[in-house]
Amino acid sequence: MNFDFLFSNLPQLTIGGLAFGAIYALIALGYTMVYGVLQLINFAHSEVFMYGTFAMLWTVMALGGADAGGIQLIAILIAALFSAMAMSAIIALLLERVAYRPLIKKDAPRLIALISAIGASFVLAELMGLRDRIAGWVGLDDNLSEYVGKARINNSMAGVLDAPRWEIGNVTISSIDVLVIVAAVGMMILLDQFVRRSRLGKGIRATSQDPETAALMGVNPTRTIQLTFLIGGLMAGIAAFLYMLKIETTKFDVGFLLGVKAFTAAVLGGIGNLRGALLGGLVLGVAETWGSALFGTEWRHVVAFVLLVVILLFRPTGLLGESLGKARA
Amino acid sequence: MSKIKQRFVALPKPVKILLWVLLALFAYALPLLEPPIISTPGVDFGGVLFVVTMYCLVAIGLNIVVGYAGLLDLGYVGFYAIGAYTAAVLTSFHAHWPLLLAIPVAVVVTTISGVLLGAPTLRVRGDYLAIVTLGFGEIIRLVAVNTEWLGERKGISNIARPPSIGGQEGLFEIPHLFWGDGTVLIDTKDTTQFLVFGVLDQIPYYWLGLTVVIVMLFADRLIKNSRVGRAWEATREDEDAAELMGVPTFKFKLLAFATGAFVGGLAGSLYASRQNFINPDSFLLLYSILFLAAVVVGGQGNRWGVLVGAILVAYLPQRFREFDDFRVLAFGLALVLLATLRPEGLFPPRRTVRAKHLEQELEELEEGAGGEESARV
């Protein structure tokens, strides 16, 4: 165990961990909201995120982000943010329509919904991984080769953004890490307020507390479910944007491990609880980074899962408990 | 479907037993017959059938955990891995035990690990349990990746094979069938040496796997119809009610976990022996999901349904190898379609169907006879 390394780099590691955690938290929102309303693990949510990363990457490529600078680059990044959010939201809504609504209508057992989501997750990931072949069928592979090529390996947008690093004392802090943390925490606070105060948010809470009574009170359940998927998708889009800023590389199966981690974060904080998702994500991110400094990077994921098991042993419903519905306005 | 079943149940017992024996014989003979449509072009049919038996075995084990006891386990591949690694370490990497000695040890180790995982985690319920077990499966794999003592990424090779009956030559040879255009011939060049466990011919492994599956089916039937099986089902349907009626639910959940781990470990050690080589990539989280899919697709809680699910999940990707790259895509589509079209699984257990019917009837009654009156009754 390398305590010296951990303590000498503590501020830097913590900032990096918080940035990762903030991304986990944004993805975790998608899990936690769907769980709050439907009591289902939305297994395909990781793919919603993955499509967002590609939307971001492709927008930057299409608008010539590699050569741009200054104001132009900022405009391109904003466009990329919106396309990532739009793409993720569309995929999330599609998912709800195809993989969930038919099952909810039939009042199917919950495990079957899980299987359906797993199937949808496979389909979405493979469609992305086979996009070169599919483009070949419709004869577009030449026109789109820049986008559909390298379908099963890493796709990178490295070097587009040359972000400054700040030196404070002997600590180097990446400005992107700070941006990621601030943006994610800001979005979470906005969302929290939205769910607590707005009419639509109250509808979501009512449905998660008691769907039948909520329906009697005039809350349209189908609309509410759609809304939760939409919000989850939008948040996953923002997470995808921030992730691409930080990591700069994506792949068709990038969602899988991130999805598992984000779900872990949601459970850690108490699934169904928005503030729990934020707390769980941040705790998970920091613990992972510290853990990998202590034991070596290869133990990073082990640290995350062991932490989860240990916390659930002492708090079987997560750090803050389940409570999308119970949250008081 | 149900008519055929009724007619089968009505048959006299000796006829039923005869039919079962015929079915079993057909299953044993399947790789020798190499039937034209079923057999897999380009892939060794015996090998595919062996994988199918392993999936069946795993499905039987996981069905006890998920189907009978209602515990959602997403890390079942962890037990499979523990079984495989124990067999590998004992027969090749750190010791040179014969396989027949290593398998019981592997099974005991997995059962103990099932108890060790279950004892602390079974306090959490439902989806929390799912994610804890998922984490457990990943921990097992990552530990194998990072531990030198377990061969790290390189894995472990030269895992022992079962002892061949009658030495390397075997007792006798069995010819395969050859399907020409409309003619069936006995192919004397293509033969299987009876119960010789070697590199080339995988049929003896299939026979071994099939035998284990049949034994486990008998055991499963015994345990399902026993007090233990009923306790599991009571726990699954309503844990609190079961506890109130005097079922020590925690104890039975732990037992289910241990039993499931037992079967999973057995399958893992057999798989390791047949592969002769394992590495952490043999135990990806994906397999946990495939195992769960096998159980749920077939109809969780139904022994035969689960077998059908396992056969579909293991066999279809091999049969349609031509689609190669599109296999996972097609599999995903199939899962979504199946879930939306048959939400109870292909073959839901009778009790689930009955419960569903009753529930519907009750609802109709409540709606029909003016809420309050019927609610009081």
Side-chain angles (χ1 to χ4, degrees):
Chain A
M1 282 204 259
N2 197 344
F3 279 104
D4 284 346
F5 179 71
L6 174 64
F7 287 122
S8 55
N9 292 296
L10 198 59
Q12 218 164 320
L13 288 170
T14 309
I15 300 273
L18 283 175
F20 252 108
I23 293 172
Y24 289 153
L26 280 178
I27 308 176
L29 277 179
Y31 290 101
T32 228
M33 295 208 35
V34 169
Y35 190 88
V37 171
L38 287 179
Q39 313 287 301
L40 290 174
I41 306 177
N42 179 10
F43 218 89
H45 187 64
S46 49
E47 264 51 60
V48 171
F49 165 81
M50 183 269 286
Y51 274 77
T53 62
F54 274 98
M56 153 92 181
L57 174 70
W58 289 338
T59 314
V60 170
M61 278 164 67
L63 298 179
D67 317 314
I71 300 283
Q72 209 187 345
L73 182 64
I74 292 175
I76 290 174
L77 288 181
I78 290 173
L81 171 65
F82 281 112
S83 63
M85 288 171 75
M87 174 71 111
S88 290
I90 290 170
I91 297 287
L93 288 177
L94 203 70
L95 193 69
E96 191 267 335
R97 185 71 195 77
V98 175
Y100 283 100
R101 203 181 295 174
L103 292 174
I104 297 163
K105 264 191 194 148
K106 287 187 188 169
D107 200 15
R110 295 177 45 211
L111 250 186
I112 275 287
L114 182 72
I115 292 296
S116 165
I118 288 171
S121 165
F122 283 173
V123 171
L124 286 171
E126 285 298 312
L127 278 180
M128 188 53 91
L130 294 167
R131 61 182 190 277
D132 49 345
R133 306 278 298 269
I134 295 164
W137 284 347
V138 287
L140 279 172
D141 44 345
D142 285 338
N143 308 352
L144 295 176
S145 60
E146 213 182 325
Y147 301 97
V148 297
K150 299 193 290 177
R152 287 190 101 79
I153 55 173
N154 282 328
N155 287 225
S156 169
M157 51 166 264
V160 169
L161 193 65
D162 187 21
R165 294 174 171 275
W166 298 316
E167 305 241 356
I168 304 168
N170 54 357
V171 181
T172 320
I173 290 172
S174 157
S175 56
I176 290 194
D177 282 353
V178 176
L179 171 76
V180 169
I181 298 167
V182 171
V185 173
M187 284 313 299
M188 296 287 292
I189 293 173
L190 272 181
L191 180 69
D192 192 59
Q193 292 305 312
F194 171 77
V195 171
R196 265 154 212 271
R197 297 189 197 281
S198 78
R199 221 181 128 73
L200 289 170
K202 281 179 188 161
I204 291 178
R205 281 190 292 132
T207 312
S208 78
Q209 219 167 26
D210 186 343
E212 285 182 13
T213 315
L216 286 176
M217 298 298 167
V219 179
N220 183 338
T222 316
R223 278 285 159 75
T224 313
I225 292 167
Q226 263 181 334
L227 183 67
T228 49
F229 271 86
L230 176 73
I231 294 175
L234 290 175
M235 291 293 154
I238 298 172
F241 174 79
L242 297 174
Y243 176 86
M244 286 305 280
L245 281 188
K246 185 168 162 54
I247 309 291
E248 302 190 328
T249 304
T250 184
K251 198 181 165 190
F252 77 102
D253 61 359
V254 72
F256 189 75
L257 189 64
L258 262 165
V260 169
K261 284 295 179 56
F263 186 69
T264 306
V267 171
L268 201 62
I271 193 164
N273 183 326
L274 293 184
R275 292 176 182 185
L278 180 62
L279 181 67
L282 295 180
V283 167
L284 190 71
V286 172
E288 260 189 20
T289 319
W290 285 1
S292 54
L294 262 186
F295 306 105
T297 35
E298 66 272 23
W299 293 98
R300 183 187 182 104
H301 306 311
V302 179
V303 171
F305 291 122
V306 170
L307 176 79
L308 172 81
V309 173
V310 170
I311 288 191
L312 285 188
L313 287 187
F314 293 103
R315 289 196 61 90
T317 49
L319 288 171
L320 297 185
E322 308 182 32
S323 67
L324 188 64
K326 282 174 211 134
R328 296 217 172 76
Chain B
M1 198 70 212
S2 60
K3 256 185 195 167
I4 300 173
K5 197 173 173 186
Q6 272 169 15
R7 211 179 282 172
F8 180 77
V9 172
L11 286 174
K13 200 167 184 190
V15 181
K16 258 195 275 189
I17 291 175
L18 184 72
L19 281 176
W20 281 126
V21 170
L22 282 179
L23 183 71
L25 280 180
F26 175 71
Y28 275 104
L30 200 57
L32 300 174
L33 299 176
E34 304 206 4
I37 296 166
I38 304 172
S39 116
T40 46
V43 206
D44 182 37
F45 190 41
V48 171
L49 286 176
F50 173 77
V51 174
V52 169
T53 58
M54 286 303 104
Y55 268 76
C56 287
L57 203 51
V58 165
I60 293 172
L62 188 57
N63 184 39
I64 291 175
V65 183
V66 179
Y68 296 168
L71 304 165
L72 182 48
D73 186 351
L74 279 179
Y76 196 69
V77 78
F79 298 128
Y80 196 64
I82 292 177
Y85 265 97
T86 315
V89 163
L90 287 180
T91 64
S92 133
F93 209 49
H94 293 289
H96 291 280
W97 295 17
L99 184 73
L100 290 187
L101 205 62
I103 285 184
V105 177
V107 166
V108 169
V109 170
T110 1
T111 314
I112 292 172
S113 70
V115 173
L116 287 183
L117 169 71
T121 52
L122 282 174
R123 291 198 314 146
V124 300
R125 284 188 188 183
D127 298 317
Y128 288 91
L129 184 65
I131 197 75
V132 169
T133 49
L134 187 149
F136 163 77
E138 271 299 272
I139 290 173
I140 300 278
R141 188 180 70 84
L142 290 166
V143 165
V145 168
N146 293 320
T147 313
E148 209 188 333
W149 196 78
L150 292 172
E152 293 180 319
R153 275 189 196 284
K154 294 187 295 290
I156 301 175
S157 51
N158 286 324
I159 301 163
R161 301 181 180 287
S164 301
I165 310 269
Q168 279 309 305
E169 295 300 306
L171 294 176
F172 51 87
E173 295 185 345
I174 310 172
H176 291 217
L177 288 187
F178 173 75
W179 296 75
D181 299 323
T183 53
V184 186
L185 300 169
I186 289 178
D187 190 349
T188 44
K189 279 180 202 142
D190 187 7
T191 54
T192 287
Q193 285 167 325
F194 186 68
L195 289 186
V196 173
F197 295 92
V199 190
L200 292 175
D201 200 347
Q202 307 193 5
I203 294 174
Y205 285 102
Y206 164 66
W207 285 334
L208 177 67
L210 185 61
T211 313
V212 175
V213 168
I214 291 174
V215 170
M216 281 299 148
L217 279 175
F218 275 110
D220 185 69
R221 191 185 150 98
L222 281 179
I223 203 163
K224 168 89 186 283
N225 294 341
S226 73
R227 208 171 70 85
V228 177
R230 286 194 297 275
W232 281 338
E233 286 188 292
T235 314
R236 177 189 69 196
E237 293 305 328
D238 190 336
E239 196 172 331
D240 297 325
E243 187 79 49
L244 278 175
M245 298 312 283
V247 178
T249 52
F250 180 77
K251 208 178 97 188
F252 279 106
K253 287 201 288 187
L254 200 57
L255 185 65
F257 236 67
T259 319
F262 173 94
V263 183
L266 181 61
S269 51
L270 286 175
Y271 172 80
S273 159
R274 143 74 189 80
Q275 282 316 80
N276 205 240
F277 165 76
I278 53 169
N279 70 0
D281 287 344
S282 325
F283 309 103
L284 298 177
L285 200 53
L286 177 75
Y287 292 101
S288 268
I289 292 171
L290 288 182
F291 296 158
L292 188 70
V295 169
V296 177
V297 160
Q300 38 167 328
N302 180 341
R303 194 175 305 123
W304 298 105
V306 164
L307 282 189
V308 173
I311 292 169
L312 288 180
V313 169
Y315 171 78
L316 284 185
Q318 299 294 334
R319 176 66 185 82
F320 296 104
R321 249 183 194 247
E322 306 93 281
F323 296 111
D324 204 32
D325 292 346
F326 291 89
R327 273 187 302 167
V328 182
L329 182 67
F331 181 67
L333 273 178
L335 283 188
V336 177
L337 276 180
L338 211 96
T340 37
L341 296 180
R342 300 260 339 195
E344 310 288 331
L346 284 175
F347 305 99
R350 247 172 300 163
R351 199 162 294 176
T352 313
V353 180
R354 222 186 299 152
K356 186 112 184 164
H357 273 294
L358 275 176
E359 216 169 78
Q360 273 171 359
E361 271 172 35
L362 256 177
E363 249 170 46
E364 275 164 26
L365 270 178
E366 274 179 16
E367 277 165 20
E372 265 181 58
E373 282 296 314
S374 56
R376 240 171 247 157
V377 180

